[in-house]
Amino acid sequence: WIAGSYYHGTEIDQSDNIRFFRCRYSGSYSSTTTGTTIQLDNGNAGPRSTAPTGNLVSNLLWEDCIFEARPDTDVGQRDIELCHNSNMAVDGVTFRGCKFYARAIDAYVSVIDANTANDPEYIKNFTVENCEFHLPHYKAIGILIDQQSGCLLRSIHIRNNKFIGRSAAFIRVGSGTSITYNATQADRIDCRIEDNVFVWTPETWVGGADFHFVIANAWHSLRIRRNNFICEGNMPGSGGLNYCDMIRTAQNFSVDVSENVISWNGTPPSITGKAGIYVDQTLTDAAGTTLAVAMRDNVVSVTGGTFEYGVTLFRGTTSPDISANVFSGNVGVGMGAAYNGARVGGQGSGSMRESGLALPVRSVTGATTATQQDGVIRCNATSGAFAVTLPDYRWRRAFIIEKTDASGNAITVGTVTLTSQYSSCLVTSDGAANYVTKLS
């Protein structure tokens, strides 16, 4: 039981092959901004004047340990600091089966952190698996890894964990975006965020930050797969938000965001531009090779309010694969101005079926706007003519509009007018514009 210290509960300097099993960290680590539960450093280790492993800290394992929340009076930003100094190297740090409890203070704090100005030589073979993170405040971050210039990041694997609470960013890995491929992606290789569960409870949201379950930017190879993202409850107003994307990535050389399940069991914030998955690609490598993007077999469901986009691809990628995603509720699929021939296929609304096509049907008697939940809109103009407003063309949806009554009152759909009973039109989109074709 490690029960508090002025500086650090555990400091490891240039050491190899250490295991912590069923340890409990508690109490205060109150040394101004430098106090931490665990700190890895490159100071001299042991009785020797020169460390036995050079600047390397390697092969460390924390297994089945408990990290209690530090007192709110502790002002240190980091609970666990992976690299305290420059010119050090971290190779083979694993947290397995641990439970982490963050502070609930109105200041940005991180549970596991590698985000300092003291860039190490490299951090590689870093794994967090089968752990639980409890994050009670929107400024509490579970895992923050954002080393930039001069630091190599290799094989950062976050898998089979559970993140619970009100964090505005459960995971941030490589969050800087104002960089180029040669300067950064060549240094960041193999980030995997897989098979995790995220549960967010927004009923006490206090706002003032962008909201993303996961932010992952500027990697040579990024995989975000088979995660389950759950929001339980209503977001009270906009909460001061500018952006709200459950998964947000930018400027990765190769990114695969597939087989994730995103469900908001309540009403999302009232801001515009919400997305289940947002991918922004703008770069090529030094040889001019284009970027690779896959967004396949994701499920996005919203029970209240609107998500403008289930998946969004914005800028600069040639021939991405966006296919077989399923959207339930008022959810769309969006393309930016430079999507460059994306393969968008197999998107569905509601539940998937093995065969056949089931279109939702809505009957209206007055002016309406087509939504992402619509498949067929049956219009009765007996009481007077009206128009059906087309949705955002970036939704890439197709639906049928039919006039069902025998009156002479017209139904107007874009540039098409339906005047006779059972006349109809088909609305389609290629992501650049809506098209209305009269069928009968």
Side-chain angles (χ1 to χ4, degrees), residues 393-405:
Y393 59 81
R394 291 172 294 181
W395 288 4
R396 289 175 169 257
R397 296 305 300 271
F399 50 91
I400 295 171
I401 298 173
E402 180 186 35
K403 174 178 166 66
T404 61
D405 66 282

Side-chain angles (χ1 to χ4, degrees), residues 362 364 366-370 374 377 379 386-390:
R362 180 163 65 101
V364 299
T368 188
T369 298
D374 288 321
I377 302 177
C379 302
F386 61 86
V388 177
T389 302
L390 301 180

Side-chain angles (χ1 to χ4, degrees), residues 106-256:
D106 191 21
Y108 285 102
V109 295
S110 49
V111 175
I112 299 177
D113 187 292
N115 180 41
T116 72
N118 302 315
D119 284 324
E121 291 183 31
Y122 60 77
I123 300 173
K124 63 182 182 180
N125 299 314
F126 171 69
T127 302
V128 181
E129 59 186 7
N130 302 317
C131 294
E132 284 188 16
F133 290 78
H134 297 264
L135 306 167
H137 194 277
Y138 79 96
K139 289 185 177 180
I141 301 172
I143 299 173
L144 173 60
I145 299 177
D146 190 24
Q147 298 291 2
Q148 294 195 32
S149 61
C151 175
L152 302 180
L153 298 177
R154 297 286 192 274
S155 299
I156 307 299
H157 295 172
I158 303 168
R159 59 195 180 212
N160 293 302
N161 303 289
K162 188 171 185 178
F163 296 81
I164 306 167
R166 304 180 180 97
S167 173
F170 288 101
I171 297 175
R172 293 181 60 174
V173 283
S175 55
T177 58
S178 58
I179 37 72
T180 63
Y181 172 82
N182 284 336
T184 301
Q185 283 94 330
D187 295 340
R188 297 176 177 173
I189 297 176
D190 186 23
C191 178
R192 304 182 191 182
I193 302 171
E194 298 176 322
D195 301 298
N196 301 285
V197 175
F198 301 81
V199 180
W200 190 63
T201 53
E203 62 272 9
T204 58
W205 174 263
V206 295
D210 297 335
F211 172 54
H212 316 288
F213 278 109
V214 172
I215 304 174
N217 296 334
W219 288 88
H220 182 278
S221 175
L222 172 65
R223 302 290 180 265
I224 304 176
R225 296 172 59 89
R226 301 183 303 275
N227 300 286
N228 193 354
F229 302 87
I230 304 169
C231 287
E232 293 289 353
N234 301 324
M235 171 77 84
S238 66
L241 293 172
N242 294 313
Y243 300 99
C244 177
D245 311 306
M246 304 299 94
I247 301 172
R248 187 177 183 89
T249 79
Q251 302 202 34
N252 299 286
F253 176 65
S254 173
V255 57
D256 183 357

